[in-house]
């Protein structure tokens, strides 16, 4: 189902690529890998072997997709944690052997996938001469953002340090990858990379989180939310209810009978974010909902002012970073539907 991924669009037209798509030069191949994955060490598993690499890429917002192979057997290790990236290695042909636990490795063949957060744990892999991959590179922060939005908290290292094999031919994950690849046009861009790009990024990250958590034995339904102390849950309720005209963090802490330091520490431990980050998210969501339900006489400026935004330029930049479009675009789209 994914044999032609990143080669042709859904109409059968070749997908345009900028730069070389094949190489027999190690330096050229490693430059590509540093840019789309992260710095790491590669060693050919044979004497005087030159690569016969395939190097193709596309982006779905902040996710990088690559169709890649070295064309020779290789060993990869020393992945740079500072890059802050998660790798999802989806095998199309051949096989990979992955570091799984301290004592065991795992094999993935065609249709099978493997996820590792290289910012949180060490990793190595071996690839045979036939390996061909459809890989995803996802910044850790993007996954954390989606986790908080979908599940109300950011998982801790019980999830991020676990390496997990999953998928298989006919799996929902394979179907999702096919859907994502079919959304890439001949120009190498996702059709309407605003709305469709956000939709695909969200779907991919959410599905991956659920599969990853299942394989790691981590609960996303209960998780840190059930363990959070009462003052964290009550602070969330206050900030959600009063997002349009919120009290200060100090006032919330005082109302709950805890210090600002205790409240902030609870959010950091059980939510992975600060109270201010939580409130900022609720306010942006409230603003977006108000734009979607604006009355005919309302404008972006008037709605933003009602939500207490003073610096409209900074607000628009934050809004676009969060939702992938400007507030004016949200308002215009909402009105076009009426």
């Amino acid at each position: 189902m994914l044999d032609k991924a990143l080669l042709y669009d859904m109409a059968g037209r070749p997908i345009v690529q900028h730069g070389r798509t094949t190489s027999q030069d190690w330096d050229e191949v490693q430059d590509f890998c540093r840019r789309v994955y992260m710095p790491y060490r590669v060693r050919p598993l044979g004497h005087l072997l030159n690569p016969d690499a395939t190097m193709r890429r596309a982006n779905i917002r902040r996710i990088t997709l690559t169709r890649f192979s070295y064309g020779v057997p290789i060993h990869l290790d020393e992945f740079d944690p500072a890059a802050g990236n998660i790798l999802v290695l989806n095998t199309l042909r051949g096989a990979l052997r992955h570091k799984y636990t301290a004592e065991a490795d795992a094999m993935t063949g065609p249709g099978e996938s493997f996820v590792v957060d290289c910012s949180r744990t060490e990793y190595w892999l071996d690839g045979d001469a036939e390996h061909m991959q459809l890989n995803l590179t996802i910044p850790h922060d993007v996954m954390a953002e989606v986790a908080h939005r979908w599940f109300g908290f950011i998982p801790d290292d019980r999830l991020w340090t676990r390496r997990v094999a999953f998928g298989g031919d006919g799996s929902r994950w394979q179907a999702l990858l096919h859907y994502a690849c079919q959304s890439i046009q001949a120009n190498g861009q996702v059709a309407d990379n605003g709305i469709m790009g956000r939709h695909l990024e969200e779907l991919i990250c959410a599905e991956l989180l659920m599969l990853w958590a299942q394989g790691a034995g981590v609960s996303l339904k209960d998780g840190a939310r059930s363990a959070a102390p009462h003052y964290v849950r009550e602070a969330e309720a206050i900030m959600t209810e009063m997002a349009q005209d919120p009290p200060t963090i100090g006032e919330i802490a005082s109302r709950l009978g805890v210090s600002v330091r205790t409240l902030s520490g609870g959010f950091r431990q059980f939510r992975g974010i600060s109270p201010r980050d939580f409130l900022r998210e609720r306010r942006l969501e409230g603003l977006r909902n108000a734009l979607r339900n604006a009355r005919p006489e309302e404008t972006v400026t008037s709605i933003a002012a009602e939500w207490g935004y003073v610096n409209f330029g900074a607000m628009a930049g934050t809004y676009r970073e969060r939702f992938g479009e400007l507030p004016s675009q949200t308002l215009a789209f909402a009105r076009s539907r009426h």
Side-chain angles (χ1 to χ4, degrees):
M1 187 164 62
L2 289 168
D3 284 350
K4 304 301 183 182
L6 301 192
L7 296 177
Y8 303 97
D9 71 0
M10 63 184 303
R13 297 169 298 189
I15 294 175
V16 174
Q17 293 281 298
H18 300 288
R20 292 178 61 87
T21 58
T22 62
S23 178
Q24 296 182 327
D25 180 86
W26 281 111
D27 289 338
E28 189 171 48
V29 176
Q30 281 308 96
D31 178 66
F32 175 85
C33 293
R34 280 192 294 269
R35 287 185 284 111
V36 301
Y37 304 127
M38 68 195 77
Y40 59 83
R41 183 174 65 173
V42 56
R43 289 178 287 169
L45 297 178
H47 188 57
L48 297 178
L49 290 178
N50 288 322
D52 185 16
T54 296
M55 308 179 299
R56 304 182 70 89
R57 65 173 292 180
N59 286 87
I60 297 177
R61 290 201 77 207
R62 295 167 292 180
I63 298 174
T64 302
L65 289 76
T66 47
R67 182 185 183 93
F68 181 78
S69 71
Y70 279 99
V72 294
I74 41 81
H75 175 83
L76 312 181
D77 61 8
E78 297 186 5
F79 288 81
D80 183 6
N85 286 333
I86 292 166
L87 292 182
V88 189
L89 302 112
N90 309 286
T91 301
L92 302 178
R93 297 197 300 269
L96 299 184
R97 184 170 68 96
H98 312 261
K99 180 177 183 177
Y100 182 53
T101 67
E103 298 81 22
D105 54 35
M107 298 292 296
T108 55
E112 297 175 326
S113 302
F114 194 90
V115 59
V116 55
D117 187 343
C118 294
S119 74
R120 296 296 190 273
T121 190
E122 293 182 353
Y123 176 61
W124 57 256
L125 72 83
D126 292 332
D128 68 15
E130 304 302 319
H131 73 272
M132 177 64 74
Q133 303 298 125
L134 177 66
N135 297 329
L136 309 182
T137 307
I138 308 174
H140 173 93
D141 289 348
V142 171
M143 288 289 283
E145 173 190 309
V146 173
H148 184 262
R149 189 157 56 247
W150 277 62
F151 304 107
F153 74 101
I154 298 174
D156 59 25
D157 279 353
R158 285 173 294 178
L159 177 68
W160 308 126
T161 58
R162 288 292 302 273
R163 313 171 193 91
V164 171
F166 63 97
D169 281 336
S171 68
R172 191 169 64 186
W173 176 250
Q174 285 282 305
L176 178 55
L177 290 178
H178 184 257
Y179 172 52
C181 290
Q182 288 292 292
S183 301
I184 297 171
Q185 303 176 113
N187 64 3
Q189 304 296 317
V190 173
D192 185 5
N193 201 32
I195 295 172
M196 180 58 75
R198 292 197 311 276
H199 164 68
L200 287 172
E201 181 184 83
E202 198 89 354
L203 271 180
I204 290 168
C205 291
E207 179 69 13
L208 178 60
L209 277 164
M210 290 185 283
L211 292 168
W212 196 348
Q214 181 180 8
V218 172
S219 173
L220 294 176
K221 182 178 180 180
D222 304 314
R225 287 185 292 178
S226 60
H230 70 92
Y231 60 82
V232 170
R233 299 194 303 271
E234 290 176 15
E236 288 176 327
I238 291 169
M239 288 187 281
T240 299
E241 182 180 350
M242 304 180 69
Q244 188 168 0
D245 186 20
T248 67
I249 302 302
E251 289 169 342
I252 294 171
S254 178
R255 179 172 167 177
L256 297 174
V258 297
S259 68
V260 171
R261 182 175 181 179
T262 296
L263 182 61
S264 297
F267 267 83
R268 290 290 185 190
Q269 180 178 355
F270 293 97
R271 298 298 189 250
I273 59 173
S274 71
R276 287 181 177 81
D277 289 337
F278 180 89
L279 178 58
R280 184 182 302 113
E281 181 71 12
R282 300 291 81 74
R283 284 175 54 75
L284 284 170
E285 289 175 350
L287 174 62
R288 183 172 177 80
N289 187 58
L291 290 166
R292 285 173 162 175
N293 295 282
R295 298 186 299 273
E297 70 275 11
E298 290 184 304
T299 65
V300 170
T301 300
S302 67
I303 294 170
E306 287 180 2
W307 277 84
Y309 290 99
V310 178
N311 188 332
F312 299 129
M315 175 276 292
T318 302
Y319 187 98
R320 183 173 187 173
E321 182 179 351
R322 169 63 178 83
F323 298 115
E325 64 185 15
L326 291 169
S328 58
Q329 293 173 303
T330 302
L331 182 60
F333 180 73
R335 287 181 170 161
S336 71
R337 299 177 64 185
H338 297 302

